[in-house]
Structures are given as C-alpha cells and as structure tokens.
Amino acid sequence: MSWLVQPRLVNDPFSDPGVYLDFRFGRRAILFDLGDVGALSTRELLRVSHVFVSHTHVDHMAGFDRLFRLCLHRPTPLTLVGPPGFAAQVEHRIRGFTWNLLDENSVGFCLRAMDYDGTVLTRAAEFHAREAFARRDAVPPDFAKGVAWSEDEFRIESVALDHGIPSLAFALREVIQVNVWRGVLAEMDLPPGPWLNEAKRAVRLGMPDDHRVETPCGTGIELGDLKGRALRVAPGQAVVYVTDAAPHRENHEKILMLARNADQFFIEAVFLERDRPLALASHHLTAWDAGDIAREAGVRHLTPFHHSARYLSEPDVLREEAFARFRTYEREPLSA
Ligand SMILES: [Zn+2]
C-alpha cells in the first residue's frame, strides 16, 4: 500500500505534542499542533501548507513564531485552523510585532486563520504581507459537517473534545486510494507518467466510466477501461491525532467515532492509571485510556505521546501501559 502521507511525532513523547504529516508527493506537509517545532528543519517547515491546532495552551502553539517567520519569504499561503476564538488569537500574536518594513513590493505571502467549532468553520481572517498583515475578514469554506478541511485527495475531520476548554481532535482521511498495476499498464502499451495523476484524480472525483483520459500517445482511453484493468481502488489512509482530553465517557465516544479503523493513531498518554486522580484534575487521558480506546477503535498502529514529566525517570512505563491494554485483544496485523 502506498501512503498519501507519512506521519510522525515532531518531538519525543515527553516534549511538546505535534505530528508532522509529510506528503509522499508534491513537497507538501501538514502539521497537527504547533508547539516547539525546533526539531523540524527549515525545509520541512517551508513545506507546511496547513496547521490544525487542537487548542492554544502554550505547548500547542509556541511554534507559531518560527513557522510564521520562515513563511514571510514564500509566496504560497499558510492556513491555520483552530478552536473558537483562534483567528483573534492569531491576530493578537501578529500585532505583537512591528511591520513598517512591509509594503506592496514585499513577497505576496498570506496567512489565513480560521475558527472551527467542532462541526463547521465559523470564521476566517486573512493577513497579507503586502498589507502589513492588517486583518481582512473572509468567508470560511463551506465543508460538510464535521469536516475542518477538504480537498480532492483527502479531508480533515475534526471533533471538539472537552479539556476544560474545547480541544480539537483531527483525522486525515484519504478519500480513496488508487494504485497502478505497472505490469498491466505495459501490457496495454501505456507508458507511466504524469497523465496517470489525472486518471487517479478522475477516479477520486467519481467521474463516469465513459470519461476519456488523455494518454501521452494515441487518442486517450475510457476511464472505465483503465479502472477495470490497470488501476486498483482501495480505501484510503486514515491518520488520527487526539490530545488533551478529559477521561470521561463523552470524550471516549467521540474519539472512538473519529478513530475507527485508523491506520495510524496518535493519542496522548499523560498519566499512569494509578495516578488517575491527576488525570481527572488536569483533564487528560491516562495511558490505560489510550490503549483502551485504540483497541476498541481497531486501529492498526498506536503511538502514545504527551507524557507527563513526572515519569521521566522511568521513560517507558506509559508506553508499556498503553500497549499492554492495546494488545489485550490485538488483531493480526493486516498485510500491506
Ligand atoms: Zn497539552
């Protein structure tokens, strides 16, 4: 199976939370959360097109300055999505700097910030470098309910969890996966090349079978013909990110809905089960909760993170507790 994105934790599990989702093609990346991003190279950060921020506690947002500063010199926009009040907080952050050196000759960089209320995007603001980052209100995109972002190839689903304040959890879902049988392609006398991307796109968009796909040589081919022979369509990749959630039933149910059958599941494991009173007091999940939810959701790969510093002297205990619970009923791994 060829993944759309390669996700990984930005930091070790005791440091600021965050996942970097690197696209296999297209020199592009997405971030879930924007805490300390010192571990990411300049090149990696410049690939980031979208950041989805769970909430604005400092360990989830402190990396904004570095990313924003790097982007000042690029023409492609940066889009940030966060919980209610987020666009205003981003504006305040920007207003904390002086921009007298920017004018209409500056690089045409644009920052977009949007509020997501757990169901829909409710507010959007744009900040253009050429306007010294004066706020411009914009109309937020109108996606389906529960979707914080949507493109041809994937969507970002999101729910608001309770962390004393709303904390957004995210799932990147590839719309559909289209793979090419190279051998069959050769038998059909068709060369590989960029035209296949157009063909895959047509499949993802649900174009009819008689839709003609341009080929480099010849008169093109009907999509149905290509689909029936040289393309293999499979369910797409799902990457789920859950952090900062109180350990109660309502959150548990919401996380299960989001994480069902995820390929890669990143979930906080802040305290040991024996310290549950601390988890309750600070609105965080225990490692036991993390493993329990992962098992119930039937995920393939579990990555626990956001460990409390109180366990630094025994760094593996949280991971061990989460996996002990996860593996209670672990299924055979699906073959790739
Ligand atoms: Zn946190």
Side-chain angles (χ1 to χ4, degrees):
M1 180 182 235
S2 64
W3 299 120
L4 178 70
V5 294
Q6 216 126 36
R8 65 173 207 268
L9 286 178
V10 173
N11 297 302
D12 71 79
F14 285 94
S15 302
D16 283 4
V19 166
Y20 184 81
L21 303 109
D22 202 2
F23 281 69
R24 281 187 75 227
F25 303 106
R27 293 204 197 116
R28 177 184 183 188
I30 282 177
L31 270 171
F32 288 157
D33 268 338
L34 192 50
D36 182 358
V37 287
L40 294 175
S41 69
T42 297
R43 200 191 317 182
E44 285 170 322
L45 284 171
L46 283 173
R47 283 211 291 274
V48 173
S49 64
H50 292 67
V51 184
F52 298 88
V53 175
S54 60
H55 61 300
T56 49
H57 280 159
V58 70
D59 53 329
H60 300 258
M61 193 59 187
F64 171 81
D65 290 0
R66 174 150 180 248
L67 177 62
F68 182 52
R69 184 176 182 180
L70 286 172
C71 287
L72 293 178
H73 306 290
R74 81 176 198 193
T76 49
L78 173 68
T79 301
L80 309 182
V81 176
F86 184 68
Q89 286 186 297
V90 169
E91 182 186 7
H92 291 315
R93 191 86 197 135
I94 296 173
R95 293 273 74 80
F97 302 101
T98 304
W99 302 107
N100 64 304
L101 299 178
L102 291 177
D103 58 29
E104 60 274 14
N105 297 316
S106 304
V107 174
F109 170 65
C110 167
L111 177 78
R112 302 191 187 114
M114 302 184 195
D115 292 8
Y116 179 81
D117 69 358
T119 307
V120 291
L121 291 166
T122 55
R123 195 180 293 271
E126 288 187 356
F127 307 89
H128 293 260
R130 289 175 176 171
E131 297 169 0
F133 294 116
R135 178 181 174 137
R136 253 203 234 176
D137 284 318
V139 180
D142 185 18
F143 301 131
K145 283 202 166 59
V147 175
W149 196 258
S150 181
E151 298 187 12
D152 288 353
E153 291 195 306
F154 69 91
R155 60 180 181 273
I156 305 286
E157 296 174 358
S158 178
V159 294
L161 303 174
D162 166 35
H163 178 50
I165 54 170
S167 174
L168 303 178
F170 303 106
L172 175 142
R173 260 178 234 292
E174 189 179 5
V175 172
I176 199 175
Q177 195 170 71
V178 189
N179 294 311
V180 180
W181 297 108
R182 297 272 163 174
V184 179
L185 206 63
E187 280 167 26
M188 294 170 77
D189 267 340
L190 292 168
W195 70 276
L196 279 169
N197 291 335
E198 274 312 303
K200 289 180 179 182
R201 188 164 175 271
V203 175
R204 284 193 199 96
L205 293 177
M207 305 284 254
D209 281 354
D210 61 0
H211 172 76
R212 275 204 99 67
V213 180
E214 300 283 333
T215 50
C217 39
T219 53
I221 185 168
E222 284 197 356
L223 185 62
D225 193 14
L226 196 63
K227 222 163 59 176
R229 296 167 71 187
L231 300 182
R232 189 182 56 147
V233 179
Q237 179 186 12
V239 182
V240 177
Y241 176 82
V242 173
T243 192
D244 295 63
H248 56 56
R249 196 69 223 167
E250 200 188 328
N251 275 346
H252 193 108
E253 294 297 330
K254 281 188 180 175
I255 299 168
L256 274 183
M257 294 277 285
L258 192 73
R260 186 78 63 202
N261 299 324
D263 298 292
Q264 287 109 339
F265 186 42
F266 296 84
I267 183 167
E268 72 163 358
V270 184
F271 298 102
L272 285 176
E273 186 60 23
R274 66 164 192 246
D275 295 322
R276 179 158 288 269
L278 298 175
L280 287 165
S282 59
H283 311 282
H284 278 296
L285 299 174
T286 67
W288 176 278
D289 292 323
D292 214 25
I293 294 170
R295 176 182 51 74
E296 222 179 308
V299 307
R300 291 173 72 184
H301 296 283
L302 164 66
T303 307
F305 68 100
H306 210 353
H307 296 348
S308 161
R310 64 189 296 115
Y311 307 103
L312 267 171
S313 62
E314 33 180 2
D316 295 326
V317 287
L318 291 156
R319 188 183 164 76
E320 284 165 8
E321 183 173 284
F323 273 91
R325 189 66 187 146
F326 177 48
R327 290 197 173 122
T328 315
Y329 302 96
E330 196 182 19
R331 306 167 310 164
E332 282 296 296
L334 301 171
S335 55

